[in-house]
Amino acid sequence: REEKDRPTATMIANNVAALSKLGIAQENTVKAMELGSKAMKMNEFDMVKLARQITGVGIALDKDLNQVMGDFNSMAPELSQFGEKMVDVFAKLEAQSKATGIAAGDLLNTAMKFDTFEGAAQAAGRLNAILGDTVVDTMALIHADPDKKINMLRDSLDAAGKSFDTMHRREQQVIASTLGLSSVAEARKLLNQDNAAAYAEFVDKVDDGKGAFQATDKQIRDLAKSAGSITDILQGAASDMASTLIAATKVIRVAAE
């Protein structure tokens, strides 16, 4: 049976090793694959595809690839509720992060505060009171994807004819608190309209990522082929993690049946 699993272990090990050549820690790649297995019931091939897609997001946005993989790992438990859209939602939050300079995980936390009726209604009420107009739609805010929630919050000031920079500091503090941000400086970065244009530019790069992903996919496959001989890989740490991952996947699959 172990011999039967050897080609799959080699395939995973090759890809883990290939991504390490791009600067992604092996532990980070294996964790992302494991999350795909546990949260999304992915098979071995889909787990490898997931790791490549995450890498493609980082390449499209010119971000540190190990950091992007780490971001995904920390955000995956929350992102898993989006099912097949998980990577797309993640990619657009990374685009927002690139535009604003705010960590993607912090943006997700802010957005998800408005994912319930209570959270969205409370935030909409406080923002509308400060802005002096009904510019935040509670139901629209609830149903929007996380990156769209960020856009809606940013656009609310524009719709009210307000600029965060010219508001009284007390108003700025209330807005920062309402958004669940750590400081007025963070709120300023999030709500800056210049960042809306930057986000549009970066999200275009992510959307073009279908082609970028194919290019990345080929690059990783080429790296995987050159990662080393089967004997070398099967004796390395990447293979040890791959074998462990395969075993865990089988347990999950049996439990689900």
Side-chain angles (χ1 to χ4, degrees):
R1 189 165 185 173
E2 288 182 6
E3 191 65 30
K4 182 181 177 182
D5 292 335
R6 190 181 178 98
T8 304
T10 302
M11 181 269 293
I12 292 178
N14 280 346
N15 278 275
V16 171
L19 292 179
S20 73
K21 290 190 174 186
L22 296 178
I24 303 174
Q26 293 181 357
E27 294 81 2
N28 262 348
T29 300
V30 171
K31 185 176 180 181
M33 291 181 179
E34 184 180 15
L35 287 165
S37 172
K38 289 182 177 179
M40 303 298 294
K41 303 295 189 290
M42 291 179 174
N43 62 32
E44 292 87 346
F45 296 98
D46 287 337
M47 290 188 295
V48 167
K49 181 179 179 181
L50 173 66
R52 292 180 179 182
Q53 286 176 318
I54 297 165
T55 303
V57 171
I59 290 174
L61 294 173
D62 193 26
K63 297 189 74 172
D64 180 273
L65 301 184
N66 193 51
Q67 179 63 56
V68 171
M69 193 70 75
D71 286 349
F72 178 83
N73 290 341
S74 64
M75 295 161 66
E78 189 79 63
L79 290 173
S80 63
Q81 66 184 280
F82 295 100
E84 293 182 355
K85 291 176 58 180
M86 177 171 64
V87 175
D88 183 61
V89 170
F90 170 72
K92 288 177 178 175
L93 282 168
E94 285 290 347
Q96 288 278 17
S97 174
K98 176 82 172 182
T100 61
I102 300 173
D106 291 343
L107 291 173
L108 177 62
N109 291 338
T110 291
M112 298 311 289
K113 289 180 183 296
F114 315 122
D115 211 49
T116 64
F117 180 81
E118 181 181 4
Q122 184 180 49
R126 294 180 76 180
L127 289 173
N128 287 334
I130 291 174
L131 299 176
D133 201 353
T134 306
V135 293
V136 181
D137 183 329
T138 299
M139 296 309 296
L141 192 59
I142 291 172
H143 294 296
D145 284 344
D147 68 297
K148 297 294 192 303
K149 294 183 197 289
I150 301 298
N151 285 344
M152 291 173 66
L153 293 168
R154 184 185 293 124
D155 291 345
S156 65
L157 272 74
D158 196 45
K162 301 259 188 179
S163 167
F164 187 80
D165 288 337
T166 60
M167 298 177 76
H168 189 277
R169 67 183 183 88
R170 295 297 185 193
E171 293 177 318
Q172 293 178 342
Q173 290 170 351
V174 171
I175 290 176
S177 174
T178 300
L179 299 182
L181 296 170
S182 61
S183 67
V184 167
E186 291 281 278
R188 180 174 287 108
K189 289 191 287 186
L190 182 73
L191 300 172
N192 188 328
Q193 277 298 327
D194 290 341
N195 291 338
Y199 167 72
E201 176 187 345
F202 293 134
V203 86
D204 280 346
K205 291 183 178 181
V206 169
D207 286 339
D208 289 342
K210 277 53 177 187
F213 167 66
Q214 289 172 359
T216 304
D217 200 41
K218 182 180 185 306
Q219 182 182 10
I220 295 170
R221 276 189 280 113
D222 289 343
L223 283 170
K225 288 177 183 176
S226 65
S229 69
I230 291 176
T231 302
D232 291 338
I233 292 172
L234 290 179
Q235 290 176 346
S239 178
D240 292 338
M241 289 187 284
S243 298
T244 301
L245 190 57
I246 290 172
T249 303
K250 287 180 178 177
V251 171
I252 293 165
R253 190 174 297 137
V254 169
E257 290 175 352

